[in-house]
């Protein structure tokens, strides 16, 4: 397991492209030496501003209420675990925060160096662009493209943002290597184990330099040892590089690795380790 | 009670549960019914038209009857392609559910019976719709003139023949569903556990080239008897079609590898990988047009040949040239219709098949036009290559027979060009028609 950690995936914050739909400029983040991250510390005294802020979100599906007036602030560089019983609205909240679904009412604001973006008022193509440029995703099943190789699956995220294939594949190879997948670049997804496929998905989520990574039960289909490894890789490459991680999980072990745990019940926030429950 | 009976009963009950409205998307059930309906209607119309020629008893009627049989034979291939596509779609749309049933402990035979029952029911609904289509279109088809008179009442088929055709379509669907069972039954974990892509051997290329050379030599040789010469031409024609089927997947695979190397954008990369994933499936999507453009070259030259022979002004021969042209155009037109439908049905099932993947790509922020362009490219590139290539092979085989002048005659060039353009346009139209399926697949993600 340690071998996957030595290939550190941290990089300087100035390599991270300014998030937001206006971020036309693409910078390829490359794994750099751990010393660089020392320079990337937040000023510890001032409170870090919320990178994502959701206000009184409601969402219903027919007669089912998935979210009812939920308010949540997520601070930059934070790792937040969202917990709660099945059907409590975790996935719906994640999808609203990420601009995958629109809430029926309420506001979602993304605050970055480039300015503030009201995610709930963007149109479909604006949200699509936001998702591919500013966010990274890891789902329970990697949902990788089966006919593509591991390398191509990662590179395609960069190619969608307009990078040429050679550059995209070089950057992707670096990420695969740093996540412990060296030598597996040309394998197809069916030829990888569940844990390896999840790492490819993590590489795909990270390679664009997205500032916020969303994960929905990323270790849900893995055994506990593999789950711990994948979680370590995920944390190293996100909060370890001053990125924000929002992870939905049922697993207490996974949640305990996160800096903050929020609990949902019937579409409401009922617990927040940061003390912000309301 | 024997276990077979128990199996059958539980299968029927499960099939009924799964078939209730709302259990599956409406389009998933509607598409195969539509496709089976088209197969039945076209089959009935073509058969009725061809059989109407057999009402004549005079000496010249023999030529008409021979040509009618030839047209039927030519239409069998695209018809089977469409029937197969419809059957695959109806069997495939339940793959996931059936795999789940299998995981839940349903026995392979229960799963098998459900699949076959469902496909058969869908095909039966389609066959009924097809018979209705035949009856509705009859007044139009009856207006077509052969030998100076409209087909008229000669168009009506014996009701028993109609029932026979409908039964054959249903049987085809059942057989094809049974044949496709292996996959679901063998792997409860789903059909998506695919490993390395299918390889297509270069040996196909060598074999195909050999047959073309042999065919060219055969038609170039002089023959003493006309009967032998006709047999050689028909044999060459059949061999040419066989070569197309042999060469097609290999040519498509070569194209896919080239495209993969060159691919510079996400869409092009996806398209190239989709082609390489199964060159045989990619070929199957466009093989109908390849056949049709092959037939068009033979047909166009034939039409020009019929037009160039001195016209009889009197007697039963006066209509032959015009009738041959009509027949050729109808044959080509009908085969295009079937090709368009197969392309649409194949694409619809391809999209439904990958619904999860498409909606997850949408979540990741892949724009819809990139997905659309990729799947369109994965069909259109092989299509262009294959239809032009098969026209070239046909021209090569026709050349020694008809001579350059006839192949290059305005009528044949026009027929060939129109066929190629229509074939390409029609498949593009079939792809376009699957837009709503894609929209439906992406909808739940929003
Ligand atoms: N697309 C949808 N259509 C209808 N109802 C939905 C849809 N998505 C979610 N729901 C409903 O909204 C509620 C919240 O669902 P959500 O998926 O957010 O729960 P969850 O907390 O992620 O549950 P789990 O832990 O099981 O994944 C549930 O009652 C669910 O049935
Ligand atoms: Mg969920």
């Amino acid at each position: 397991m340690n071998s996957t950690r030595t290939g550190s995936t941290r990089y300087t914050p100035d390599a991270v492209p300014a998030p937001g739909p206006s971020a036309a400029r693409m910078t390829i983040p490359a794994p750099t030496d751990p010393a660089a991250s020392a320079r990337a510390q937040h000023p510890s005294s001032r409170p870090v501003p919320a990178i994502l802020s959701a206000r009184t979100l409601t969402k219903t599906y027919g007669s089912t209420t998935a979210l009812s007036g939920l308010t949540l602030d997520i601070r930059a560089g934070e790792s937040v675990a969202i917990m709660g019983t099945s059907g409590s609205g975790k996935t719906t909240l994640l999808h609203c925060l990420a601009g995958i679904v629109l809430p029926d009412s309420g506001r979602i604001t993304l605050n970055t160096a480039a300015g503030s973006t009201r995610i709930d008022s963007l149109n479909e193509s604006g949200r699509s662009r936001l998702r591919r440029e500013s966010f990274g995703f890891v789902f329970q099943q990697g949902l990788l493209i089966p006919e593509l190789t591991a390398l191509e699956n990662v590179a395609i995220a960069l190619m969608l943002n307009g990078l040429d294939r050679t550059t995209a594949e070089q950057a992707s190879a670096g990420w695969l290597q740093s996540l412990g997948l060296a030598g597996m670049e040309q394998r197809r997804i069916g030829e990888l184990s569940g844990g390896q496929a999840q790492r490819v998905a993590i590489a795909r989520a990270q390679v664009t330099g997205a500032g916020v990574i969303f994960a929905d039960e990323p270790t849900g289909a893995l055994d506990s040892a593999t789950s711990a490894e994948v979680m370590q890789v995920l944390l190293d490459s996100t909060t370890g590089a001053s990125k924000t991680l929002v992870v939905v999980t049922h697993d207490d072990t996974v949640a305990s690795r996160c800096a903050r745990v929020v609990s949902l019940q019937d579409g409401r926030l009922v617990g927040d380790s940061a003390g912000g429950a309301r | 009670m024997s276990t077979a009976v128990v199996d059958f009963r539980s299968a029927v009950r499960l099939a009924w549960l799964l078939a209730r409205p709302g259990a599956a998307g409406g389009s998933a059930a509607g598409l195969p019914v539509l496709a089976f309906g088209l197969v039945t209607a076209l089959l009935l119309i073509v058969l009725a038209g061809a059989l109407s020629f057999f009402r004549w008893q005079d000496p010249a009627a023999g030529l008409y009857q021979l040509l009618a049989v030839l047209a039927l034979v030519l239409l069998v291939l695209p018809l089977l392609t469409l029937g197969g596509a419809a059957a695959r779609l109806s069997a495939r749309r339940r793959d996931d559910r059936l795999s789940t049933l299998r995981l839940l402990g349903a026995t392979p035979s229960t799963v098998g019976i459900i699949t076959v029952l469902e496909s058969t029911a869908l095909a039966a609904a389609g066959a009924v719709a097809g018979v209705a289509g035949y009856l509705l279109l009859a007044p139009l088809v009856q207006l077509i003139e052969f030998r100076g008179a409209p087909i008229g009442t000669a168009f009506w088929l014996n009701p028993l023949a109609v029932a026979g055709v409908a039964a054959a379509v249903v049987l085809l669907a059942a057989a094809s569903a049974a044949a496709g069972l292996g996959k679901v039954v063998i792997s409860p974990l789903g059909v998506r556990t695919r490993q390395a892509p299918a390889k297509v051997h270069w040996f196909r290329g060598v074999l195909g080239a050999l047959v073309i050379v042999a065919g060219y030599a055969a038609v170039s040789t002089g023959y003493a008897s006309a009967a032998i010469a006709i047999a050689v031409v028909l044999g060459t024609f059949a061999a040419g079609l066989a070569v197309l089927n042999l060469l097609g997947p290999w040519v498509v695979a070569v194209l896919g590898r080239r495209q993969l190397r060159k691919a510079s954008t996400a869409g092009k990369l996806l398209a190239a990988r989709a082609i390489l994933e199964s060159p045989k499936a990619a070929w199957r999507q466009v093989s109908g047009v390849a056949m049709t453009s092959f037939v068009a070259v033979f047909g166009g030259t034939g039409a020009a040949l019929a037009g160039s022979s001195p016209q009889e002004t009197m007697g039963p021969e006066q209509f032959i040239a015009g009738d041959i042209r009509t027949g050729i155009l109808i044959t080509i037109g009908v085969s295009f219709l079937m090709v368009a439908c197969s392309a649409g049905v194949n694409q619809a099932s391809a999209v439904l098949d990958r619904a999860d993947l498409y909606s997850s790509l949408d979540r990741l922020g892949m724009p819809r036009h990139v997905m659309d362009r990729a799947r369109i490219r994965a069909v259109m590139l092989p299509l262009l290559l294959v239809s032009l290539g098969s026209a070239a092979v046909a021209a090569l085989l026709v050349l020694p027979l008809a001579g350059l002048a006839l192949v290059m005659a305005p009528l044949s060039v026009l027929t060939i060009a129109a066929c190629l353009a229509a074939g390409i346009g029609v498949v593009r139209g079939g792809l376009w028609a699957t837009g709503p399926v894609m929209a439906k697949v992406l909808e739940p993600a929003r």
Side-chain angles (χ1 to χ4, degrees), chain A:
Chain A
M1 190 186 99
N2 274 332
S3 65
T4 67
R5 298 186 60 181
T6 49
S8 169
T9 56
R10 298 160 192 212
Y11 48 81
T12 53
D14 53 281
V16 183
S22 54
R25 171 179 63 93
M26 273 302 307
T27 315
I28 312 153
T32 52
D33 63 304
S37 68
R39 284 175 262 127
Q41 291 309 313
H42 295 289
S44 48
S45 51
R46 262 185 297 138
V48 189
I51 189 168
L52 268 173
S53 133
R55 288 285 168 277
T56 57
L57 296 186
T58 63
K59 178 79 188 172
T60 55
Y61 293 102
S63 60
T64 314
T65 303
L67 294 178
S68 67
L70 190 144
T71 291
L72 179 67
D73 278 330
I74 291 171
R75 282 171 285 281
E78 202 172 34
S79 56
V80 184
I82 302 177
M83 297 197 76
T85 53
S86 183
S88 54
K90 304 181 295 294
T91 298
T92 309
L93 173 61
L94 191 88
H95 284 182
C96 283
L97 291 174
I100 292 173
V101 297
L102 283 177
D104 297 336
S105 66
R107 279 178 291 138
I108 306 153
T109 317
L110 174 70
N111 299 304
T112 64
S116 290
T117 312
R118 276 285 295 277
I119 297 179
D120 53 289
S121 58
L122 289 175
N123 64 8
E124 175 52 39
S125 74
R127 281 181 286 133
S128 179
R129 178 162 177 190
L130 186 74
R131 297 198 292 266
R132 76 178 167 269
E133 288 179 352
S134 308
F135 297 151
F137 296 92
V138 183
F139 300 114
Q140 177 170 11
Q141 310 285 344
L143 287 174
L144 298 156
I145 306 173
E147 62 261 29
L148 263 50
T149 62
L151 184 66
E152 289 165 348
N153 261 294
V154 179
I156 204 156
L158 284 173
M159 290 167 76
L160 280 176
N161 283 343
L163 238 73
D164 69 276
R165 185 168 163 197
T166 316
T167 319
E169 290 195 341
Q170 275 166 4
S172 305
W175 271 100
L176 286 178
Q177 195 168 12
S178 70
L179 297 188
L181 293 172
M184 298 186 191
E185 293 87 353
Q186 297 309 321
R187 291 216 199 156
R188 288 151 55 88
I189 303 310
E191 297 166 326
L192 296 174
S193 72
Q196 290 164 344
Q198 258 342 36
R199 287 175 200 220
V200 175
I202 293 173
R204 179 178 66 178
Q206 306 279 10
V207 73
T208 58
V212 185
I213 307 298
F214 294 99
D216 195 348
E217 302 187 35
T219 60
L222 305 175
D223 64 66
S224 58
T226 318
S227 164
E229 276 177 45
V230 165
M231 197 55 206
Q232 187 60 50
V233 167
L234 192 57
L235 282 168
D236 276 352
S237 59
T238 50
T239 49
S242 22
K243 292 190 189 182
T244 311
L245 173 67
V246 182
V247 53
V248 165
T249 183
H250 282 292
D251 186 341
D252 288 324
T253 332
V254 168
S256 67
R257 312 285 309 269
C258 295
R260 179 179 170 200
V261 181
V262 299
S263 313
L264 258 61
Q265 191 180 320
D266 299 328
R268 273 178 238 273
L269 212 60
V270 293
D272 186 344
S273 65
R278 60 204 96 197

